[in-house]
């Protein structure tokens, strides 16, 4: 296989992983902190609207693209050094378990509970209970996503350096 195709896929996997890590970091560093200062109705409404807006083709590409391209990269670089294959395998595991599965089985169910709630008809106590059920758990799960996506991105950068050192 042509080295430029292999390297190109690895570069795109790195770029998409970096975008995913940046998205998670921004939510952790600014979005959840900012909306956390809102009252219960404002917080829940803002979160509801962001959750409804974020599901779009660009997000799907940035969210699932890294895992797919990381897996393709591992396949393409399988005959490389054990360091490169170990790094790529570790990256896939981190991203898949720490971002993809945590999102699907942790954050999404919480988002769905929030999405099904008619906030306009909820009492003050209902809003407080929903926020208590949602906020801390969602933020803890999101911190796992942030950490593992940043680690995946960093390991991909190291992998790129190793690939370039090995090839040139």
């Amino acid at each position: 296989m042509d080295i430029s195709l292999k390297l190109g896929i690895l570069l795109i996997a790195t770029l998409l992983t970096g975008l995913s890590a940046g998205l998670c970091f921004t939510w952790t560093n600014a979005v959840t902190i900012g909306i956390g200062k809102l009252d219960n109705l404002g917080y829940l409404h803002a979160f509801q609207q962001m959750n409804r807006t974020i599901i779009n083709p660009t997000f799907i590409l940035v969210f699932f693209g890294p895992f797919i391209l990381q897996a393709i990269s591992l396949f393409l670089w399988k005959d490389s050094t054990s360091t490169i294959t170990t790094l790529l395998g570790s990256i896939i595991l981190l991203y898949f378990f720490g971002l993809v599965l945590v999102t699907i089985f942790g954050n999404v169910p919480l988002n769905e509970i929030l999405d099904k709630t008619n906030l306009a008809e909820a009492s003050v106590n209902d809003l407080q209970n929903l926020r208590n059920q949602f906020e801390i758990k969602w933020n803890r799960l999101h911190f796992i996503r942030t950490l593992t996506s940043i680690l995946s991105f960093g390991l991909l950068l190291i992998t790129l350096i190793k690939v370039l050192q090995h090839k040139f």
Side-chain angles (χ1 to χ4, degrees):
M1 168 145 315
D2 185 56
I3 184 71
S4 60
L5 176 63
K6 288 169 57 172
L7 187 57
I9 290 172
L10 184 58
L11 283 167
I12 295 168
T14 304
L15 172 67
L16 290 176
T17 304
L19 287 170
S20 186
L23 176 68
C24 288
F25 175 79
T26 301
W27 271 71
T28 296
N29 188 52
V31 174
T32 56
I33 293 170
I35 66 172
K37 297 177 188 277
L38 298 172
D39 64 26
N40 292 334
L41 179 59
Y43 172 85
L44 295 167
H45 184 261
F47 225 107
Q48 212 177 46
Q49 294 308 309
M50 287 187 288
N51 286 340
R52 291 173 180 168
T53 303
I54 199 166
I55 304 301
N56 61 64
T58 302
F59 173 78
I60 299 300
L61 174 67
V62 169
F63 182 79
F64 287 109
F67 173 68
I68 294 165
L69 292 177
Q70 292 163 9
I72 292 170
S73 290
L74 178 59
F75 175 77
L76 294 176
W77 291 94
K78 69 183 181 298
D79 295 327
S80 187
T81 68
S82 63
T83 301
I84 291 170
T85 56
T86 300
L87 281 166
L88 287 170
S90 299
I91 291 160
I92 292 166
L93 291 173
L94 265 173
Y95 193 89
F96 183 70
F97 286 103
L99 189 82
V100 176
L101 290 184
V102 167
T103 299
I104 292 169
F105 295 109
N107 295 92
V108 168
L110 291 170
N111 293 347
E112 289 173 349
I113 291 168
L114 179 58
D115 191 59
K116 292 176 184 174
T117 304
N118 184 340
L119 299 176
E121 294 180 5
S123 70
V124 172
N125 286 339
D126 290 341
L127 294 173
Q128 183 64 58
N129 290 336
L130 180 58
R131 185 170 182 169
N132 290 343
Q133 177 186 1
F134 181 86
E135 185 175 20
I136 292 171
K137 187 172 183 183
W138 196 97
N139 287 341
R140 284 182 184 152
L141 291 165
H142 185 68
F143 181 75
I144 294 167
R145 299 188 305 177
T146 302
L147 183 61
T148 57
S149 62
I150 290 171
L151 288 172
S152 296
F153 179 60
L155 289 174
L156 275 164
L157 292 174
I158 292 168
T159 303
L160 279 170
I161 291 167
K162 295 288 185 190
V163 164
L164 293 174
Q165 287 174 341
H166 184 72
K167 294 297 175 190
F168 299 105

